[in-house]
Amino acid sequence: MSNLTFGIIKPDAVRAGNHGKIVDRILAAGFKVRGMKLIHQSKKQAEGFYAVHAERPFFGELTEFMSSGPCVVLALEKENAVPAWRDLMGATNPAEAADGTLRKEFASSIGENAVHGSDSDENAAIEIAYFFSKLELV
């Protein structure tokens, strides 16, 4: 188990002005922020990041949404970071997310669900490297 994971505060949450509240919740949950920046992905960058989903029917909608406005990308550290971050995020569908999770509080739909998180240690390393250079991780 790695102590690093990757997260995104998605454009819907940034547009709604909830990114500060989400960062506060991340810190309160015991995560250390090792990298954080506000970015606005191009459609091509979003397609590169989500290339694993290229054949899925939601790919176009997903990449359109993820390039629709600024988002916050995060490298987060905590013991057992991947499952801890996924627990804090909550279920993909905010209607099914547990009380106290980020998606229960800040998401509006399955498609616009406020946050992204890595699903494995391997993907966390790949996703962190997609957005951060070694110099940007402290």
Side-chain angles (χ1 to χ4, degrees):
M1 285 255 166
S2 173
N3 291 330
L4 283 179
T5 193
F6 176 76
I8 301 176
I9 302 173
K10 294 182 177 182
D12 57 319
V14 174
R15 244 190 310 277
N18 290 326
H19 46 303
K21 294 174 192 168
I22 292 171
V23 170
D24 284 345
R25 293 278 301 280
I26 290 167
L27 296 172
F31 286 92
K32 290 181 179 145
V33 176
R34 294 297 181 212
M36 178 169 68
K37 55 187 168 180
L38 180 69
I39 64 167
H40 190 152
Q41 295 182 81
S42 68
K43 181 98 155 76
K44 187 176 178 82
Q45 288 166 323
E47 288 170 351
F49 181 73
Y50 287 106
V52 67
H53 298 303
E55 302 304 315
R56 308 284 285 275
F58 59 81
F59 181 73
E61 186 179 334
L62 173 64
T63 56
E64 194 69 42
F65 165 61
M66 290 303 293
S67 60
S68 70
C71 61
V72 178
V73 292
L74 301 146
L76 302 171
E77 182 181 44
K78 183 176 182 172
E79 192 168 330
N80 298 322
V82 169
W85 174 233
R86 295 189 70 76
D87 287 347
L88 181 60
M89 286 192 311
T92 303
N93 182 348
E96 297 170 2
D99 288 342
T101 63
L102 297 173
R103 287 179 172 153
K104 185 67 162 188
E105 187 170 345
F106 299 109
S108 58
S109 69
I110 293 175
E112 296 193 6
N113 61 10
V115 289
H116 161 87
S118 302
D119 60 4
S120 68
D121 290 341
E122 178 184 77
N123 284 338
I126 293 166
E127 293 177 349
I128 289 168
Y130 192 84
F131 289 104
F132 293 98
S133 72
K134 295 275 188 214
L135 286 174
E136 295 173 305
L137 299 174
V138 294

PDB file of all heavy atoms in Angstrom, residues 7-20:
ATOM      1  N   GLY A   7      -5.990  13.127  -6.459  1.00  0.00           N
ATOM      2  CA  GLY A   7      -7.376  13.579  -6.458  1.00  0.00           C
ATOM      3  C   GLY A   7      -7.561  14.779  -7.361  1.00  0.00           C
ATOM      4  O   GLY A   7      -6.610  15.520  -7.642  1.00  0.00           O
ATOM      5  N   ILE A   8      -8.786  14.937  -7.809  1.00  0.00           N
ATOM      6  CA  ILE A   8      -9.173  16.142  -8.554  1.00  0.00           C
ATOM      7  C   ILE A   8     -10.434  16.698  -7.911  1.00  0.00           C
ATOM      8  O   ILE A   8     -11.380  15.949  -7.646  1.00  0.00           O
ATOM      9  CB  ILE A   8      -9.474  15.850 -10.042  1.00  0.00           C
ATOM     10  CG1 ILE A   8      -8.276  15.241 -10.756  1.00  0.00           C
ATOM     11  CG2 ILE A   8      -9.931  17.131 -10.757  1.00  0.00           C
ATOM     12  CD1 ILE A   8      -8.552  14.848 -12.217  1.00  0.00           C
ATOM     13  N   ILE A   9     -10.420  17.986  -7.666  1.00  0.00           N
ATOM     14  CA  ILE A   9     -11.661  18.691  -7.350  1.00  0.00           C
ATOM     15  C   ILE A   9     -12.160  19.178  -8.702  1.00  0.00           C
ATOM     16  O   ILE A   9     -11.518  20.007  -9.359  1.00  0.00           O
ATOM     17  CB  ILE A   9     -11.437  19.844  -6.359  1.00  0.00           C
ATOM     18  CG1 ILE A   9     -10.802  19.315  -5.060  1.00  0.00           C
ATOM     19  CG2 ILE A   9     -12.767  20.557  -6.076  1.00  0.00           C
ATOM     20  CD1 ILE A   9     -10.384  20.401  -4.076  1.00  0.00           C
ATOM     21  N   LYS A  10     -13.262  18.594  -9.154  1.00  0.00           N
ATOM     22  CA  LYS A  10     -13.718  18.751 -10.531  1.00  0.00           C
ATOM     23  C   LYS A  10     -14.332  20.128 -10.807  1.00  0.00           C
ATOM     24  O   LYS A  10     -14.664  20.873  -9.881  1.00  0.00           O
ATOM     25  CB  LYS A  10     -14.736  17.651 -10.849  1.00  0.00           C
ATOM     26  CG  LYS A  10     -14.124  16.253 -10.832  1.00  0.00           C
ATOM     27  CD  LYS A  10     -15.172  15.214 -11.203  1.00  0.00           C
ATOM     28  CE  LYS A  10     -14.576  13.824 -11.255  1.00  0.00           C
ATOM     29  NZ  LYS A  10     -15.591  12.825 -11.660  1.00  0.00           N
ATOM     30  N   PRO A  11     -14.494  20.466 -12.098  1.00  0.00           N
ATOM     31  CA  PRO A  11     -15.001  21.789 -12.474  1.00  0.00           C
ATOM     32  C   PRO A  11     -16.336  22.175 -11.830  1.00  0.00           C
ATOM     33  O   PRO A  11     -16.535  23.355 -11.524  1.00  0.00           O
ATOM     34  CB  PRO A  11     -15.138  21.690 -14.004  1.00  0.00           C
ATOM     35  CG  PRO A  11     -14.082  20.715 -14.405  1.00  0.00           C
ATOM     36  CD  PRO A  11     -14.076  19.691 -13.291  1.00  0.00           C
ATOM     37  N   ASP A  12     -17.228  21.223 -11.588  1.00  0.00           N
ATOM     38  CA  ASP A  12     -18.510  21.577 -10.974  1.00  0.00           C
ATOM     39  C   ASP A  12     -18.313  22.119  -9.567  1.00  0.00           C
ATOM     40  O   ASP A  12     -18.940  23.106  -9.176  1.00  0.00           O
ATOM     41  CB  ASP A  12     -19.481  20.391 -10.979  1.00  0.00           C
ATOM     42  CG  ASP A  12     -18.942  19.148 -10.282  1.00  0.00           C
ATOM     43  OD1 ASP A  12     -17.745  18.817 -10.443  1.00  0.00           O
ATOM     44  OD2 ASP A  12     -19.722  18.472  -9.584  1.00  0.00           O
ATOM     45  N   ALA A  13     -17.416  21.496  -8.797  1.00  0.00           N
ATOM     46  CA  ALA A  13     -17.172  21.933  -7.418  1.00  0.00           C
ATOM     47  C   ALA A  13     -16.422  23.268  -7.394  1.00  0.00           C
ATOM     48  O   ALA A  13     -16.689  24.114  -6.535  1.00  0.00           O
ATOM     49  CB  ALA A  13     -16.405  20.860  -6.664  1.00  0.00           C
ATOM     50  N   VAL A  14     -15.481  23.470  -8.328  1.00  0.00           N
ATOM     51  CA  VAL A  14     -14.763  24.736  -8.397  1.00  0.00           C
ATOM     52  C   VAL A  14     -15.723  25.851  -8.809  1.00  0.00           C
ATOM     53  O   VAL A  14     -15.741  26.934  -8.204  1.00  0.00           O
ATOM     54  CB  VAL A  14     -13.552  24.640  -9.358  1.00  0.00           C
ATOM     55  CG1 VAL A  14     -12.891  26.013  -9.553  1.00  0.00           C
ATOM     56  CG2 VAL A  14     -12.528  23.636  -8.823  1.00  0.00           C
ATOM     57  N   ARG A  15     -16.569  25.583  -9.820  1.00  0.00           N
ATOM     58  CA  ARG A  15     -17.554  26.572 -10.281  1.00  0.00           C
ATOM     59  C   ARG A  15     -18.481  26.996  -9.146  1.00  0.00           C
ATOM     60  O   ARG A  15     -18.843  28.166  -9.033  1.00  0.00           O
ATOM     61  CB  ARG A  15     -18.401  25.966 -11.414  1.00  0.00           C
ATOM     62  CG  ARG A  15     -18.235  26.673 -12.729  1.00  0.00           C
ATOM     63  CD  ARG A  15     -19.234  26.235 -13.794  1.00  0.00           C
ATOM     64  NE  ARG A  15     -19.372  24.813 -14.006  1.00  0.00           N
ATOM     65  CZ  ARG A  15     -18.572  24.072 -14.772  1.00  0.00           C
ATOM     66  NH1 ARG A  15     -17.545  24.600 -15.382  1.00  0.00           N
ATOM     67  NH2 ARG A  15     -18.784  22.785 -14.915  1.00  0.00           N
ATOM     68  N   ALA A  16     -18.853  26.036  -8.299  1.00  0.00           N
ATOM     69  CA  ALA A  16     -19.762  26.318  -7.179  1.00  0.00           C
ATOM     70  C   ALA A  16     -19.048  26.978  -6.000  1.00  0.00           C
ATOM     71  O   ALA A  16     -19.691  27.325  -5.004  1.00  0.00           O
ATOM     72  CB  ALA A  16     -20.433  25.020  -6.728  1.00  0.00           C
ATOM     73  N   GLY A  17     -17.731  27.134  -6.103  1.00  0.00           N
ATOM     74  CA  GLY A  17     -16.974  27.758  -5.030  1.00  0.00           C
ATOM     75  C   GLY A  17     -16.721  26.845  -3.842  1.00  0.00           C
ATOM     76  O   GLY A  17     -16.440  27.324  -2.742  1.00  0.00           O
ATOM     77  N   ASN A  18     -16.785  25.527  -4.065  1.00  0.00           N
ATOM     78  CA  ASN A  18     -16.627  24.571  -2.963  1.00  0.00           C
ATOM     79  C   ASN A  18     -15.223  24.009  -2.817  1.00  0.00           C
ATOM     80  O   ASN A  18     -14.970  23.207  -1.922  1.00  0.00           O
ATOM     81  CB  ASN A  18     -17.619  23.411  -3.140  1.00  0.00           C
ATOM     82  CG  ASN A  18     -19.042  23.859  -2.902  1.00  0.00           C
ATOM     83  OD1 ASN A  18     -19.298  24.716  -2.068  1.00  0.00           O
ATOM     84  ND2 ASN A  18     -19.977  23.288  -3.648  1.00  0.00           N
ATOM     85  N   HIS A  19     -14.281  24.419  -3.665  1.00  0.00           N
ATOM     86  CA  HIS A  19     -12.949  23.816  -3.598  1.00  0.00           C
ATOM     87  C   HIS A  19     -12.242  24.103  -2.278  1.00  0.00           C
ATOM     88  O   HIS A  19     -11.556  23.230  -1.750  1.00  0.00           O
ATOM     89  CB  HIS A  19     -12.099  24.177  -4.815  1.00  0.00           C
ATOM     90  CG  HIS A  19     -12.099  25.604  -5.222  1.00  0.00           C
ATOM     91  ND1 HIS A  19     -13.246  26.305  -5.536  1.00  0.00           N
ATOM     92  CD2 HIS A  19     -11.085  26.483  -5.365  1.00  0.00           C
ATOM     93  CE1 HIS A  19     -12.934  27.547  -5.864  1.00  0.00           C
ATOM     94  NE2 HIS A  19     -11.622  27.683  -5.765  1.00  0.00           N
ATOM     95  N   GLY A  20     -12.419  25.272  -1.712  1.00  0.00           N
ATOM     96  CA  GLY A  20     -11.811  25.563  -0.409  1.00  0.00           C
ATOM     97  C   GLY A  20     -12.378  24.689   0.694  1.00  0.00           C
ATOM     98  O   GLY A  20     -11.636  24.171   1.541  1.00  0.00           O
TER      99      GLY A  20
END
